[in-house]
Amino acid sequence: MLMQDDTRESLEAALAWLINADAGDYALTWEQAASYARVQVPKAEWVEMMARSREPLGEVIDRIPVSSQRADELPGAPSGEYAVHEFRTVFSGGAELGERVTTMRDGDGQLRVAGYYLV
């Protein structure tokens, strides 16, 4: 199970990944994603989904971490070490949305993003 320091490390991994999403480098976000996520969603589909969901919103004006929760299991995913990070994000297009970034400990021991959702 992820310990407190791991939750901080996981949040940092999520924020680093979001920098590339904010820059519109969706191919890089796929390459940096957890192996489980890359197997589930082909790169071209990932890039299209990210572009379709993010580009209409405009640039990120503000992002505030709201919560982080650790988990050993998530619906529809294999058992593992997860952290789910919630952010409140304001976009230049006027939308204020929640972002949910899920990280997991990958096979090589690194924490990587396994899921991204606008909520």
Side-chain angles (χ1 to χ4, degrees):
M1 177 173 218
L2 289 172
M3 305 310 277
Q4 190 62 37
D5 287 345
D6 291 338
T7 302
R8 179 170 295 125
E9 179 187 352
S10 174
L11 178 60
E12 290 171 3
L15 289 167
W17 185 90
L18 283 166
I19 288 170
N20 294 315
D22 293 347
D25 196 344
Y26 308 130
L28 183 57
T29 65
W30 183 87
E31 292 164 11
Q32 294 175 331
S35 57
Y36 173 75
R38 292 191 318 267
V39 168
Q40 299 300 308
V41 182
K43 187 176 187 177
E45 186 178 329
W46 178 289
V47 169
E48 180 187 336
M49 288 186 319
M50 289 291 292
R52 190 173 56 240
S53 64
R54 287 290 302 265
E55 289 176 1
L57 300 171
E59 295 180 19
V60 171
I61 302 298
D62 193 24
R63 176 179 287 125
I64 300 167
V66 176
S67 68
S68 295
Q69 279 194 295
R70 299 182 309 224
D72 292 327
E73 295 183 3
L74 294 174
S79 294
E81 296 178 28
Y82 297 93
V84 180
H85 305 284
E86 300 273 348
F87 301 91
R88 197 68 178 144
T89 307
V90 178
F91 295 90
S92 64
E96 182 175 333
L97 298 171
E99 289 180 295
R100 181 177 298 137
V101 182
T102 301
T103 62
M104 71 180 297
R105 182 132 351 245
D106 218 343
D108 64 359
Q110 297 298 308
L111 287 165
R112 292 194 175 88
V113 170
Y116 173 78
Y117 304 95
L118 292 167
V119 293

Short mmCIF file of all heavy atoms in Angstrom, two decimals, residues 54-91:
data_model
loop_
_atom_site.label_atom_id
_atom_site.label_comp_id
_atom_site.label_asym_id
_atom_site.label_seq_id
_atom_site.Cartn_x
_atom_site.Cartn_y
_atom_site.Cartn_z
N ARG A 54 -9.77 18.22 -23.88
CA ARG A 54 -9.02 19.35 -23.32
C ARG A 54 -9.02 20.61 -24.19
O ARG A 54 -9.12 21.72 -23.68
CB ARG A 54 -7.57 18.94 -23.06
CG ARG A 54 -7.35 18.01 -21.88
CD ARG A 54 -7.60 18.71 -20.55
NE ARG A 54 -6.76 19.86 -20.35
CZ ARG A 54 -5.61 19.88 -19.70
NH1 ARG A 54 -5.16 18.79 -19.14
NH2 ARG A 54 -4.92 21.00 -19.58
N GLU A 55 -8.84 20.46 -25.49
CA GLU A 55 -8.64 21.63 -26.33
C GLU A 55 -9.79 22.64 -26.31
O GLU A 55 -9.54 23.84 -26.29
CB GLU A 55 -8.28 21.21 -27.76
CG GLU A 55 -6.87 20.65 -27.78
CD GLU A 55 -6.43 20.12 -29.13
OE1 GLU A 55 -7.20 20.19 -30.11
OE2 GLU A 55 -5.29 19.63 -29.18
N PRO A 56 -11.05 22.21 -26.26
CA PRO A 56 -12.13 23.20 -26.21
C PRO A 56 -12.12 24.05 -24.93
O PRO A 56 -12.72 25.12 -24.90
CB PRO A 56 -13.41 22.36 -26.27
CG PRO A 56 -12.99 21.06 -26.85
CD PRO A 56 -11.57 20.86 -26.41
N LEU A 57 -11.44 23.59 -23.90
CA LEU A 57 -11.43 24.28 -22.61
C LEU A 57 -10.47 25.46 -22.56
O LEU A 57 -10.62 26.35 -21.73
CB LEU A 57 -11.08 23.30 -21.49
CG LEU A 57 -12.04 22.11 -21.35
CD1 LEU A 57 -11.47 21.11 -20.36
CD2 LEU A 57 -13.42 22.58 -20.96
N GLY A 58 -9.47 25.46 -23.43
CA GLY A 58 -8.46 26.51 -23.40
C GLY A 58 -7.34 26.16 -22.44
O GLY A 58 -7.21 25.02 -21.99
N GLU A 59 -6.55 27.16 -22.13
CA GLU A 59 -5.40 26.96 -21.25
C GLU A 59 -5.83 26.88 -19.79
O GLU A 59 -6.85 27.43 -19.41
CB GLU A 59 -4.42 28.11 -21.43
CG GLU A 59 -3.80 28.18 -22.80
CD GLU A 59 -2.82 29.33 -22.93
OE1 GLU A 59 -2.35 29.87 -21.91
OE2 GLU A 59 -2.53 29.69 -24.09
N VAL A 60 -5.00 26.23 -18.99
CA VAL A 60 -5.23 26.16 -17.55
C VAL A 60 -4.83 27.51 -16.94
O VAL A 60 -3.72 27.99 -17.13
CB VAL A 60 -4.44 25.02 -16.89
CG1 VAL A 60 -4.52 25.09 -15.38
CG2 VAL A 60 -4.95 23.68 -17.39
N ILE A 61 -5.78 28.11 -16.22
CA ILE A 61 -5.53 29.36 -15.51
C ILE A 61 -5.12 29.09 -14.07
O ILE A 61 -4.24 29.74 -13.52
CB ILE A 61 -6.80 30.25 -15.53
CG1 ILE A 61 -7.23 30.54 -16.97
CG2 ILE A 61 -6.59 31.52 -14.74
CD1 ILE A 61 -6.23 31.30 -17.79
N ASP A 62 -5.76 28.10 -13.46
CA ASP A 62 -5.49 27.78 -12.06
C ASP A 62 -5.84 26.33 -11.81
O ASP A 62 -6.81 25.81 -12.38
CB ASP A 62 -6.31 28.69 -11.14
CG ASP A 62 -5.85 28.64 -9.70
OD1 ASP A 62 -4.68 28.31 -9.44
OD2 ASP A 62 -6.67 28.96 -8.82
N ARG A 63 -5.04 25.67 -10.97
CA ARG A 63 -5.31 24.27 -10.60
C ARG A 63 -5.00 24.13 -9.12
O ARG A 63 -3.89 24.43 -8.68
CB ARG A 63 -4.44 23.33 -11.42
CG ARG A 63 -4.61 21.87 -11.01
CD ARG A 63 -3.76 20.94 -11.85
NE ARG A 63 -4.30 20.80 -13.19
CZ ARG A 63 -3.62 21.04 -14.31
NH1 ARG A 63 -2.37 21.44 -14.26
NH2 ARG A 63 -4.20 20.88 -15.48
N ILE A 64 -5.98 23.69 -8.37
CA ILE A 64 -5.83 23.56 -6.92
C ILE A 64 -6.06 22.10 -6.54
O ILE A 64 -7.13 21.55 -6.83
CB ILE A 64 -6.85 24.45 -6.18
CG1 ILE A 64 -6.63 25.91 -6.56
CG2 ILE A 64 -6.76 24.25 -4.68
CD1 ILE A 64 -7.76 26.82 -6.13
N PRO A 65 -5.09 21.47 -5.89
CA PRO A 65 -5.32 20.12 -5.38
C PRO A 65 -6.42 20.14 -4.31
O PRO A 65 -6.39 20.98 -3.41
CB PRO A 65 -3.98 19.71 -4.78
CG PRO A 65 -2.98 20.66 -5.34
CD PRO A 65 -3.73 21.93 -5.62
N VAL A 66 -7.38 19.24 -4.44
CA VAL A 66 -8.50 19.20 -3.50
C VAL A 66 -8.38 18.00 -2.57
O VAL A 66 -8.62 18.11 -1.37
CB VAL A 66 -9.84 19.15 -4.27
CG1 VAL A 66 -11.01 18.99 -3.32
CG2 VAL A 66 -10.00 20.38 -5.14
N SER A 67 -8.00 16.85 -3.12
CA SER A 67 -7.88 15.66 -2.27
C SER A 67 -6.98 14.63 -2.94
O SER A 67 -6.78 14.65 -4.15
CB SER A 67 -9.26 15.04 -2.00
OG SER A 67 -9.80 14.50 -3.19
N SER A 68 -6.47 13.73 -2.12
CA SER A 68 -5.69 12.58 -2.58
C SER A 68 -6.10 11.40 -1.73
O SER A 68 -6.16 11.52 -0.50
CB SER A 68 -4.19 12.83 -2.44
OG SER A 68 -3.76 13.87 -3.27
N GLN A 69 -6.39 10.29 -2.39
CA GLN A 69 -6.78 9.08 -1.67
C GLN A 69 -5.97 7.91 -2.18
O GLN A 69 -5.82 7.74 -3.40
CB GLN A 69 -8.26 8.77 -1.86
CG GLN A 69 -9.17 9.56 -0.96
CD GLN A 69 -10.55 8.94 -0.98
OE1 GLN A 69 -11.20 8.94 -2.01
NE2 GLN A 69 -10.97 8.42 0.15
N ARG A 70 -5.51 7.10 -1.26
CA ARG A 70 -4.80 5.88 -1.64
C ARG A 70 -5.79 4.74 -1.75
O ARG A 70 -6.83 4.73 -1.10
CB ARG A 70 -3.75 5.55 -0.58
CG ARG A 70 -2.71 6.65 -0.45
CD ARG A 70 -1.67 6.30 0.56
NE ARG A 70 -2.26 5.89 1.84
CZ ARG A 70 -1.83 6.29 3.02
NH1 ARG A 70 -0.81 7.10 3.09
NH2 ARG A 70 -2.39 5.88 4.11
N ALA A 71 -5.44 3.77 -2.60
CA ALA A 71 -6.28 2.59 -2.77
C ALA A 71 -5.43 1.42 -3.23
O ALA A 71 -4.41 1.62 -3.91
CB ALA A 71 -7.38 2.86 -3.79
N ASP A 72 -5.85 0.22 -2.87
CA ASP A 72 -5.20 -1.00 -3.35
C ASP A 72 -5.99 -1.61 -4.50
O ASP A 72 -5.47 -2.47 -5.22
CB ASP A 72 -5.08 -2.03 -2.22
CG ASP A 72 -4.11 -1.58 -1.15
OD1 ASP A 72 -3.12 -0.91 -1.48
OD2 ASP A 72 -4.35 -1.91 0.03
N GLU A 73 -7.24 -1.18 -4.64
CA GLU A 73 -8.10 -1.68 -5.70
C GLU A 73 -8.97 -0.55 -6.22
O GLU A 73 -9.40 0.32 -5.46
CB GLU A 73 -9.00 -2.81 -5.19
CG GLU A 73 -8.25 -4.04 -4.78
CD GLU A 73 -9.17 -5.17 -4.34
OE1 GLU A 73 -10.41 -5.00 -4.41
OE2 GLU A 73 -8.65 -6.22 -3.93
N LEU A 74 -9.20 -0.58 -7.52
CA LEU A 74 -10.13 0.35 -8.17
C LEU A 74 -11.03 -0.45 -9.09
O LEU A 74 -10.60 -1.48 -9.64
CB LEU A 74 -9.36 1.41 -8.98
CG LEU A 74 -8.51 2.39 -8.17
CD1 LEU A 74 -7.71 3.28 -9.12
CD2 LEU A 74 -9.38 3.24 -7.27
N PRO A 75 -12.28 -0.03 -9.28
CA PRO A 75 -13.20 -0.78 -10.14
C PRO A 75 -12.62 -0.99 -11.54
O PRO A 75 -12.13 -0.06 -12.17
CB PRO A 75 -14.44 0.12 -10.20
CG PRO A 75 -14.36 0.98 -8.98
CD PRO A 75 -12.89 1.17 -8.72
N GLY A 76 -12.64 -2.23 -11.98
CA GLY A 76 -12.21 -2.56 -13.33
C GLY A 76 -10.70 -2.57 -13.54
O GLY A 76 -10.23 -2.72 -14.67
N ALA A 77 -9.93 -2.41 -12.48
CA ALA A 77 -8.47 -2.38 -12.60
C ALA A 77 -7.87 -3.49 -11.74
O ALA A 77 -8.49 -3.92 -10.76
CB ALA A 77 -7.93 -1.02 -12.16
N PRO A 78 -6.68 -3.94 -12.09
CA PRO A 78 -6.05 -4.97 -11.27
C PRO A 78 -5.65 -4.43 -9.90
O PRO A 78 -5.50 -3.22 -9.72
CB PRO A 78 -4.80 -5.36 -12.08
CG PRO A 78 -4.51 -4.15 -12.91
CD PRO A 78 -5.85 -3.51 -13.20
N SER A 79 -5.49 -5.32 -8.95
CA SER A 79 -5.00 -4.90 -7.63
C SER A 79 -3.64 -4.26 -7.80
O SER A 79 -2.85 -4.65 -8.66
CB SER A 79 -4.89 -6.10 -6.69
OG SER A 79 -6.17 -6.62 -6.43
N GLY A 80 -3.38 -3.25 -6.99
CA GLY A 80 -2.09 -2.56 -7.08
C GLY A 80 -2.04 -1.42 -6.10
O GLY A 80 -2.86 -1.32 -5.19
N GLU A 81 -1.06 -0.56 -6.28
CA GLU A 81 -0.89 0.61 -5.43
C GLU A 81 -1.32 1.84 -6.22
O GLU A 81 -0.65 2.24 -7.17
CB GLU A 81 0.57 0.76 -5.01
CG GLU A 81 1.07 -0.39 -4.16
CD GLU A 81 2.54 -0.23 -3.79
OE1 GLU A 81 3.02 0.91 -3.73
OE2 GLU A 81 3.19 -1.26 -3.59
N TYR A 82 -2.44 2.42 -5.83
CA TYR A 82 -3.03 3.55 -6.54
C TYR A 82 -3.14 4.76 -5.63
O TYR A 82 -3.24 4.63 -4.42
CB TYR A 82 -4.44 3.21 -7.02
CG TYR A 82 -4.51 2.09 -8.01
CD1 TYR A 82 -4.72 0.78 -7.60
CD2 TYR A 82 -4.38 2.34 -9.37
CE1 TYR A 82 -4.81 -0.26 -8.52
CE2 TYR A 82 -4.47 1.32 -10.30
CZ TYR A 82 -4.67 0.02 -9.86
OH TYR A 82 -4.75 -1.00 -10.77
N ALA A 83 -3.21 5.91 -6.26
CA ALA A 83 -3.60 7.14 -5.58
C ALA A 83 -4.48 7.92 -6.56
O ALA A 83 -4.17 8.01 -7.75
CB ALA A 83 -2.41 7.97 -5.16
N VAL A 84 -5.58 8.43 -6.04
CA VAL A 84 -6.51 9.20 -6.86
C VAL A 84 -6.44 10.65 -6.37
O VAL A 84 -6.72 10.93 -5.20
CB VAL A 84 -7.95 8.65 -6.75
CG1 VAL A 84 -8.89 9.49 -7.60
CG2 VAL A 84 -8.00 7.19 -7.16
N HIS A 85 -6.05 11.53 -7.27
CA HIS A 85 -5.88 12.95 -6.95
C HIS A 85 -6.97 13.76 -7.63
O HIS A 85 -7.20 13.60 -8.83
CB HIS A 85 -4.50 13.45 -7.40
CG HIS A 85 -3.38 12.64 -6.86
ND1 HIS A 85 -2.96 12.75 -5.55
CD2 HIS A 85 -2.61 11.68 -7.44
CE1 HIS A 85 -1.96 11.91 -5.36
NE2 HIS A 85 -1.73 11.24 -6.48
N GLU A 86 -7.63 14.59 -6.86
CA GLU A 86 -8.69 15.46 -7.38
C GLU A 86 -8.18 16.90 -7.36
O GLU A 86 -7.57 17.34 -6.37
CB GLU A 86 -9.94 15.36 -6.51
CG GLU A 86 -10.53 13.98 -6.42
CD GLU A 86 -11.50 13.65 -7.53
OE1 GLU A 86 -11.90 14.58 -8.28
OE2 GLU A 86 -11.86 12.47 -7.65
N PHE A 87 -8.44 17.60 -8.46
CA PHE A 87 -8.06 19.00 -8.60
C PHE A 87 -9.28 19.81 -8.99
O PHE A 87 -10.18 19.30 -9.66
CB PHE A 87 -7.00 19.18 -9.70
CG PHE A 87 -5.74 18.40 -9.46
CD1 PHE A 87 -5.60 17.11 -9.96
CD2 PHE A 87 -4.69 18.95 -8.75
CE1 PHE A 87 -4.44 16.39 -9.75
CE2 PHE A 87 -3.52 18.23 -8.53
CZ PHE A 87 -3.40 16.95 -9.03
N ARG A 88 -9.31 21.07 -8.61
CA ARG A 88 -10.29 22.03 -9.10
C ARG A 88 -9.52 22.91 -10.06
O ARG A 88 -8.55 23.57 -9.67
CB ARG A 88 -10.86 22.86 -7.94
CG ARG A 88 -12.13 23.57 -8.30
CD ARG A 88 -13.13 22.53 -8.48
NE ARG A 88 -14.48 22.81 -8.78
CZ ARG A 88 -15.16 22.02 -9.57
NH1 ARG A 88 -14.60 21.00 -10.16
NH2 ARG A 88 -16.43 22.21 -9.79
N THR A 89 -9.92 22.92 -11.34
CA THR A 89 -9.14 23.56 -12.38
C THR A 89 -9.99 24.57 -13.14
O THR A 89 -11.12 24.27 -13.53
CB THR A 89 -8.56 22.51 -13.34
OG1 THR A 89 -7.86 21.52 -12.56
CG2 THR A 89 -7.62 23.13 -14.35
N VAL A 90 -9.42 25.76 -13.33
CA VAL A 90 -10.08 26.82 -14.09
C VAL A 90 -9.37 26.94 -15.43
O VAL A 90 -8.13 27.02 -15.49
CB VAL A 90 -10.01 28.17 -13.33
CG1 VAL A 90 -10.64 29.29 -14.15
CG2 VAL A 90 -10.67 28.05 -11.96
N PHE A 91 -10.16 26.95 -16.49
CA PHE A 91 -9.63 27.03 -17.85
C PHE A 91 -9.95 28.40 -18.45
O PHE A 91 -10.94 29.04 -18.07
CB PHE A 91 -10.23 25.93 -18.72
CG PHE A 91 -9.83 24.55 -18.29
CD1 PHE A 91 -10.58 23.84 -17.36
CD2 PHE A 91 -8.69 23.94 -18.81
CE1 PHE A 91 -10.22 22.56 -16.96
CE2 PHE A 91 -8.32 22.66 -18.41
CZ PHE A 91 -9.08 21.98 -17.48
#
